[in-house]
């Protein structure tokens, strides 16, 4: 089955190009942020996280940027591949309060 | 495969009915989280159990309840079902009581359709 959320913002990117997915989070006190990838018929899968005392973190082909001033989070995926097609969610958490709050999600489509 | 098993994968039931969704966490994981993913609300945290005890509560309706058993599997009970309860219900598990993104694994979800 598809990921729930048919009215998601969408982003189409040519295979091999870089993609940037943006997210505005809600709570300026949030300590911790996570990006998840959700493929069709599957649960969210952890991609990368960042704590609020950092502004950038890099993983394999992915980079997360955090701008606390404007409560903005972005996920950069380098050299996109067909397997990157999925819905991407940002999520925020306040430590001590285990209530992870998810953003709306963005559907990324990679064009071969 | 995340190692988190959810049953049933799909369920269709009528309004007013009660259903139970089951989750088996990854081997060794003590925490179980339940999330609801619906069209209008997106992904929402419902409740967390750690080693049999309720640890955190989110936007869980009073008509819903959950428990975690001694063998660490968990059940989410949904009663007096309404059309708006139609959603994908995810279970996730983790070894820890506190939330750490890279140690939490989600199951594939249970699709509930209320007609």
């Amino acid at each position: 089955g598809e990921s729930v959320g048919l009215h998601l913002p969408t982003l189409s990117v040519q295979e091999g190009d870089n993609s940037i997915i943006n997210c505005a989070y809600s709570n300026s006190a949030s300590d911790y942020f996570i990006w998840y990838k959700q493929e069709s018929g599957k649960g969210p899968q952890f991609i990368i996280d960042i704590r609020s005392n950092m502004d950038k973190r890099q993983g394999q082909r992915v980079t997360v940027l955090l701008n606390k001033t404007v409560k903005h989070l972005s996920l950069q995926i380098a050299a996109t591949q067909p397997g990157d097609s999925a819905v991407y969610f940002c999520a925020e958490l306040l430590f001590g309060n285990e209530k992870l709050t998810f953003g709306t999600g963005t559907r990324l489509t990679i064009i071969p | 495969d995340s190692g988190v098993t959810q049953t049933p994968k799909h369920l269709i039931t009528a309004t007013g009915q009660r259903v139970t969704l089951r989750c088996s966490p990854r081997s060794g994981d003590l925490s179980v989280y339940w999330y609801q993913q619906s069209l209008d609300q997106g992904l929402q945290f419902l409740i967390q159990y750690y080693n049999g005890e309720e640890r955190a509560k989110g936007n869980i309706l009073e008509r819903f309840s959950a428990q975690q058993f001694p063998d660490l599997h968990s059940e989410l009970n949904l009663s007096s079902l309404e059309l708006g309860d139609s959603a994908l219900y995810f279970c996730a598990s983790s070894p820890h009581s506190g939330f750490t993104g890279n140690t939490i694994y989600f199951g594939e979800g249970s699709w509930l359709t209320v007609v």
Side-chain angles (χ1 to χ4, degrees):
Chain A
E2 290 290 320
S3 301
V4 177
L6 298 176
H7 305 295
L8 298 171
T10 58
L11 175 66
S12 296
V13 174
Q14 203 74 36
E15 183 179 352
D17 286 353
N18 300 333
S19 64
I20 299 176
I21 301 170
N22 296 303
C23 172
Y25 63 90
S26 59
N27 187 352
S28 57
S30 290
D31 300 298
Y32 180 57
F33 304 88
I34 308 165
W35 278 101
Y36 284 98
K37 173 185 182 183
Q38 187 175 18
E39 296 176 277
S40 177
K42 295 188 177 180
Q45 178 185 1
F46 172 87
I47 301 173
I48 191 167
D49 57 1
I50 188 168
R51 293 186 177 235
S52 60
N53 61 353
M54 303 172 68
D55 53 21
K56 180 179 179 178
R57 188 153 190 241
Q58 288 184 290
Q60 189 175 20
R61 281 202 308 120
V62 294
T63 301
V64 56
L65 299 177
L66 174 62
N67 184 332
K68 293 183 287 294
T69 304
V70 293
K71 295 192 291 185
H72 183 268
L73 200 61
S74 69
L75 176 70
Q76 300 176 4
I77 305 174
T80 53
Q81 304 167 358
D84 294 329
S85 291
V87 176
Y88 289 81
F89 293 95
C90 68
E92 58 183 301
L93 182 82
L94 186 63
F95 284 134
N97 172 349
E98 306 303 317
K99 302 175 187 179
L100 192 65
T101 301
F102 283 85
T104 312
T106 297
R107 189 180 302 276
L108 176 66
T109 301
I110 306 304
I111 305 166
Chain B
D1 182 5
S2 67
V4 178
T5 304
Q6 290 187 247
T7 57
K9 291 198 184 306
H10 297 91
L11 187 57
I12 301 174
T13 191
T15 54
Q17 295 298 304
R18 172 191 168 95
V19 298
T20 298
L21 308 180
R22 181 188 169 102
C23 170
S24 294
R26 293 191 322 149
S27 177
D29 283 359
L30 299 177
S31 263
V32 169
Y33 300 80
W34 285 98
Y35 290 85
Q36 179 194 57
Q37 188 173 33
S38 62
L39 275 172
D40 56 349
Q41 296 289 330
L43 262 162
Q44 288 209 333
F45 168 69
L46 296 178
I47 198 163
Q48 178 203 1
Y49 279 82
Y50 177 74
N51 204 21
E53 304 221 344
E54 184 182 303
R55 175 81 167 78
K57 208 165 189 176
N59 302 319
I60 187 166
L61 300 172
E62 285 193 11
R63 300 184 284 109
F64 296 1
S65 65
Q67 54 184 327
Q68 186 179 28
F69 295 86
D71 67 352
L72 301 175
H73 91 271
S74 179
E75 292 181 355
L76 179 66
N77 301 297
L78 315 174
S79 62
S80 302
L81 285 167
E82 302 174 0
L83 295 177
D85 298 327
S86 295
L88 188 52
Y89 291 85
F90 285 109
C91 169
S93 76
S94 163
H96 313 300
S97 61
F99 193 98
T100 309
N102 60 354
T103 63
I104 292 186
Y105 290 84
F106 284 79
E108 296 193 344
S110 292
W111 272 102
L112 173 65
T113 302
V114 182
V115 296

